[in-house]
Amino acid sequence: MDSKLIGIIGLGQMGSGIAQVTAAAGYKVVAREENEELLKKGIGRIAKQLDRAIEKGKATEADKSSLLGRISTTTRLEDFKDCDLVIEAIPENVELKIAAFKTLDGICKQSAIFASNTSSLAITDMAAVTKRPSQFVGLHFFNPVQIMKLVEVVRTIMTDDQTFGNAVKFAESVGKTVVRAKDSCGFVVNLLLIPYLIDAIRWYENGLTSKEDIDNGMKLGCGHPMGPLELTDFIGLDTILYIGDIMFDEFRESRFAPPPLLRRMVKAGYLGRKCGRGFYVYEK
Ligand SMILES: NC(=O)c1ccc[n+]([C@@H]2O[C@H](COP(=O)([O-])OP(=O)(O)OC[C@H]3O[C@@H](n4cnc5c(N)ncnc54)[C@H](O)[C@@H]3O)[C@@H](O)[C@H]2O)c1
């Protein structure tokens, strides 16, 4: 495992988590950002996570320095030429992702596997612009990556068995449990979760009951740790709207259609916890 080099494009919220769990599993990592400042920020996020683990007695200073020592940083995609696997975690914009994979295709060795961490875009759209569509998968990690146990490993109709098997092995080797999925919009988790959240917003909008009663109903009646409106605030109303629109475009089924209230709240800037107000108001 130690000899494998894993490239990570984008050292934001997800990319830094993926880099951390990958380096923790013993892999060498090369991470790319747009500039040195963003690289510093990404590495800083990982260091802070590790400091917290040290405070809790779950890691030592030596663990931290050896983990960070396995992550090198760069602003040049050319430094990905020896990677065995490249995981993309740049913003959810298909043009940006396609441009990155087109460039990488000309740089990376022939055997390298490409993976996207997209939550809602079609893996096929990205795989199809490369000369290695059979070596392309989705590796959908969950946020926060260090804590969430799941990775959805996604195959398109072009992905070959060996690539898919290696992608599953990789996800398991970084300590995750794998769910296998076809390249269908929302994969498994969002396919089931988004209509549920949208339905809760729709019933709240229709005046079924209060937001607290909707959330308590699902927490106390079903044992969920968060109610659907609390969870929507946690994920971000803009994110739910964005994914709902993409899923509705794909399936044309009303259960995926974002309700008017969600759209109005996003327009009003009520994006959830991250901005202090969504369905609930949060202390800054
Ligand atoms: N945030 C989540 O909860 C979550 C969960 C699962 C999947 N995802 C997916 O992961 C991806 C990244 O999301 P995020 O929340 O980490 O976003 P983010 O904005 O925190 O990070 C993206 C990073 O990519 C960098 N970047 C942009 N273009 C780049 C390029 N060409 N090369 C290298 N770096 C580049 C940006 O500077 C930024 O730091 C998205 O596709 C998103 O849908 C997000």
Side-chain angles (χ1 to χ4, degrees):
M1 285 301 176
D2 288 7
S3 63
K4 296 258 186 231
L5 179 63
I6 313 297
I8 295 179
I9 330 171
L11 208 52
Q13 203 174 325
M14 294 303 290
S16 55
I18 298 168
Q20 184 179 333
V21 298
T22 302
Y27 293 100
K28 290 199 187 81
V29 173
V30 54
R32 194 240 175 195
E33 258 294 350
E34 296 282 74
N35 56 51
E36 292 293 341
E37 200 178 314
L38 288 166
L39 281 171
K40 243 192 216 158
K41 205 171 153 192
I43 294 293
R45 205 179 281 124
I46 299 172
K48 208 165 147 194
Q49 275 283 331
L50 292 168
D51 286 339
R52 251 182 253 147
I54 293 169
E55 269 167 35
K56 289 184 191 156
K58 291 182 177 166
T60 62
E61 284 291 347
D63 294 334
K64 177 183 169 187
S65 65
S66 70
L67 190 155
L68 289 175
R70 283 194 288 279
I71 305 176
S72 63
T73 58
T74 184
T75 53
R76 295 158 24 96
L77 277 179
E78 289 74 16
D79 291 334
F80 280 57
K81 66 178 173 21
D82 296 324
C83 287
D84 300 289
L85 166 68
V86 177
I87 305 172
E88 165 278 309
I90 68 176
E92 193 73 336
N93 173 313
V94 74
E95 277 88 30
L96 266 187
K97 290 183 192 274
I98 281 179
F101 279 119
K102 266 190 182 161
T103 311
L104 278 168
D105 202 27
I107 292 172
C108 294
K109 61 185 180 188
Q110 200 54 53
S111 59
I113 293 178
F114 285 178
S116 173
N117 184 52
T118 181
S119 308
S120 58
L121 301 170
I123 304 296
T124 307
D125 286 348
M126 294 172 251
V129 302
T130 70
K131 292 192 190 79
R132 61 184 87 206
S134 62
Q135 289 164 228
F136 207 118
V137 290
L139 276 176
H140 186 216
F141 287 82
F142 288 73
N143 187 23
V145 179
Q146 299 84 349
I147 293 170
M148 299 297 276
K149 281 277 162 226
L150 186 68
V151 174
E152 291 179 310
V153 183
V154 182
R155 72 184 301 165
T156 74
I157 54 174
M158 301 178 283
T159 309
D160 66 37
D161 289 345
Q162 193 185 348
T163 297
F164 191 67
N166 285 338
V168 168
K169 268 192 218 147
F170 168 77
E172 288 174 344
S173 73
V174 300
K176 302 300 180 192
T177 298
V178 163
V179 161
R180 295 160 176 80
K182 284 198 302 187
D183 184 25
S184 167
C185 194
F187 313 135
V188 175
V189 174
N190 282 335
L191 184 70
L192 300 176
L193 178 66
I194 298 294
Y196 160 66
L197 298 181
I198 279 176
D199 223 18
I201 299 167
R202 194 175 289 125
W203 283 112
Y204 173 58
E205 182 175 32
N206 287 345
L208 172 72
T209 185
S210 66
K211 54 184 183 264
E212 290 82 3
D213 281 359
I214 289 177
D215 283 336
N216 279 334
M218 296 310 291
K219 282 192 286 190
L220 305 179
C222 297
H224 290 190
M226 277 189 218
L229 302 176
E230 284 173 299
L231 183 55
T232 300
D233 275 0
F234 180 76
I235 296 171
L237 276 72
D238 50 341
T239 305
I240 301 299
L241 176 61
Y242 180 76
I243 300 178
D245 276 337
I246 290 183
M247 294 182 88
F248 182 71
D249 261 2
E250 173 92 1
F251 299 113
R252 297 279 152 189
E253 288 175 27
S254 59
R255 66 203 174 99
F256 297 107
L261 175 63
L262 177 61
R263 218 173 279 286
R264 298 287 184 284
M265 289 179 75
V266 170
K267 280 254 167 68
Y270 299 173
L271 306 183
R273 262 176 193 270
K274 61 186 164 191
C275 71
R277 180 167 186 168
F279 289 96
Y280 298 92
V281 176
Y282 301 87
E283 297 287 330
K284 283 277 179 202

